[in-house]
Amino acid sequence: MTINTAFSPPVGSRESGAPLEAAHQQLAEAIELLGYSAGQHAMLRAPRREMTVSIPLRRDTGDIELLTGHRVQHNISRGPAKGGIRYHRGVDLDEIRALAMWMTWKCALIDVPYGGAKGGIRIDTALYSQPELERLTRRFTSEIMPILGPEKDIPAPDIGTDEQTMAWIMDTYSVNKGHTIPAVVTGKPISIGGSLGRASATSRGVVHCALAAMEDQKIRASGSSASVQGFGKVGAGAAEFLSDAGLKIQYVSDQHGALHASGGIDVQLLDDHVKLTGSVVGFRGAEPVPHDAVLEADVDVLVPAALEGVITADNAADIKARIVVEGANGPTTVLADQMLADKGTLVVPDILANAGGVLVSYFEWVQGNQAYWWTEDEVEEKLAARMTSAYREVSAYAKDRRLSMRSAATALAVHRVAEAHTLRGLYP
Ligand code: NAD
């Protein structure tokens, strides 16, 4: 199993714009646009339920260490809460709250019957063995079990967690319930109920959005150029599928280094190199460049697919890409977003661009609930159709109201969640 331990800076710490602040500002803007009341705003802003737990972990040495875990369910009006579990040393409750809120909007925007959630443990996974991570995951699962379940809250992988982590969560939950319940998590290994096409779904969704945005801007895919920050679960696939669509991948980076090749990087060879060495550094098919070169590249499409808060007021003026497709969650700060909009850069926002993962998570949950498995082609066809139609929906809404794609996406999503509140009414 590969548990990725990427990342150095504390996530979202740049500018004043920590993720929760950005999420709150985006919501406030949507509320104003939609003309909703202060009461509606308050309901949409506050998480529905939060659970913080202590996780006692027996280290391999026999020592006991106490860690802290969180699960935040931001909204459950459209269905069970849905969202990833993150293991990273930068995790804090506010970051999880922001990510949970973005999940609510993402699920509403892509129109899957879920609310939004997120969970996480502040931990540097590089310092723990596999058996320690397994014990940690099982204890965390058992602590938050009262609020988990296929009809209540369905976790998925995020930074620092993967399909093995999901298998441990599923097993712990199932053993405690007395029977196997695959639909309690998504992003599982195929052999225990995972969906074909889930592993590549986020990257494919990013590329469907990139291609739709290029069509919007009348840029031909064939021969165009791209730059991809991050070569992990999202970035590596995005580079591969952009390359398959005919774009030259001129820049790629991971946390260890950055590469450039004006004629395009052979993504398959780079992937083999990364599998062998653990990083893009030392790849012979490209020249090393400073990290900044990747974000500031003069390319048609930029895909930030690594960290939150990497495009800031400090570097937004230097972003030359005509289209930015947000593979990562929250890579652009609020100020930078405004600066990019002012200079006419088309930004496809995270809640749309990286929604392919949760869409196929939904397909996995549907398959698990029905115990009926779809072919990879079926999954990919449905993914392509839904991502492209969601892009067009957001784009039309944005053009009609002269909004940025982010404002349009957020307003559309917030409207759907508010509509669910209104139709269900307030109990009692
Ligand atoms: P990952 O851990 O698999 O990959 C992260 C990559 O970013 C690694 O290659 C790492 O080396 C690189 N990186 C870290 N710091 C960097 C830096 N300073 N400069 C350049 N590269 C750097 O994580 P992932 O699952 O690919 O997630 C990436 C982002 O996408 C996160 O924001 C995550 O929340 C978001 N996301 C992921 C999914 C999914 O299905 N995996 C779905 C939606 C959103």
Side-chain angles (χ1 to χ4, degrees), residues 82-327:
K82 183 88 189 80
I85 290 193
R86 176 174 288 199
Y87 291 174
H88 183 255
R89 63 173 177 266
V91 162
D92 67 38
L93 185 52
D94 273 353
E95 178 203 42
I96 299 293
R97 286 173 172 143
L99 290 162
M101 183 184 279
W102 284 328
M103 280 306 296
T104 301
W105 310 146
K106 197 179 297 186
C107 292
L109 186 65
I110 207 78
D111 205 11
V112 291
Y114 292 139
K118 204 78 178 189
I121 300 176
R122 180 190 278 261
I123 183 173
D124 184 347
T125 52
L127 307 177
Y128 295 78
S129 70
Q130 278 294 101
E132 287 173 335
L133 292 173
E134 178 174 354
R135 290 198 288 277
L136 176 85
T137 301
R138 289 185 183 279
R139 184 62 189 251
F140 180 47
T141 306
S142 105
E143 294 294 339
I144 62 171
M145 191 130 51
I147 61 169
L148 291 187
E151 286 98 27
K152 289 195 214 167
D153 184 352
I154 307 141
D158 193 72
I159 294 167
T161 56
D162 62 8
E163 57 177 37
Q164 177 63 76
T165 324
M166 295 307 113
W168 291 330
I169 295 176
M170 189 274 251
D171 184 67
T172 307
Y173 186 83
S174 298
V175 166
N176 277 275
K177 296 287 176 189
H179 59 110
T180 298
I181 306 173
V184 67
V185 289
T186 59
K188 295 179 290 294
I190 304 286
S191 54
I192 54 166
S195 175
L196 293 169
R198 169 64 183 89
S200 59
T202 307
S203 311
R204 284 198 188 277
V206 165
V207 174
H208 291 310
C209 284
L211 296 178
M214 291 175 82
E215 203 182 303
D216 241 4
Q217 301 275 296
K218 315 231 176 317
I219 302 173
R220 276 173 51 132
S222 175
S224 291
S225 53
S227 178
V228 180
Q229 185 196 41
F231 204 72
K233 294 190 282 290
V234 180
E240 181 190 336
F241 304 134
L242 284 170
S243 169
D244 290 349
L247 281 88
K248 281 186 286 188
I249 310 302
Q250 291 185 332
Y251 294 82
V252 160
S253 64
D254 67 10
Q255 87 256 40
H256 305 290
L259 300 174
H260 169 239
S262 48
I265 294 168
D266 185 323
V267 180
Q268 198 52 58
L269 285 182
L270 177 60
D271 201 41
D272 293 343
H273 172 85
V274 171
K275 284 197 177 100
L276 211 64
T277 66
S279 121
V280 303
V281 175
F283 177 62
R284 285 167 188 261
E287 295 295 317
V289 287
H291 263 112
D292 292 349
V294 174
L295 289 175
E296 295 168 13
D298 190 358
V299 288
D300 296 296
V301 178
L302 168 65
V303 180
L307 307 164
E308 284 99 346
V310 292
I311 302 178
T312 68
D314 293 337
N315 64 3
D318 300 318
I319 304 288
K320 297 173 198 71
R322 294 163 70 185
I323 299 170
V324 176
V325 187
E326 294 185 334

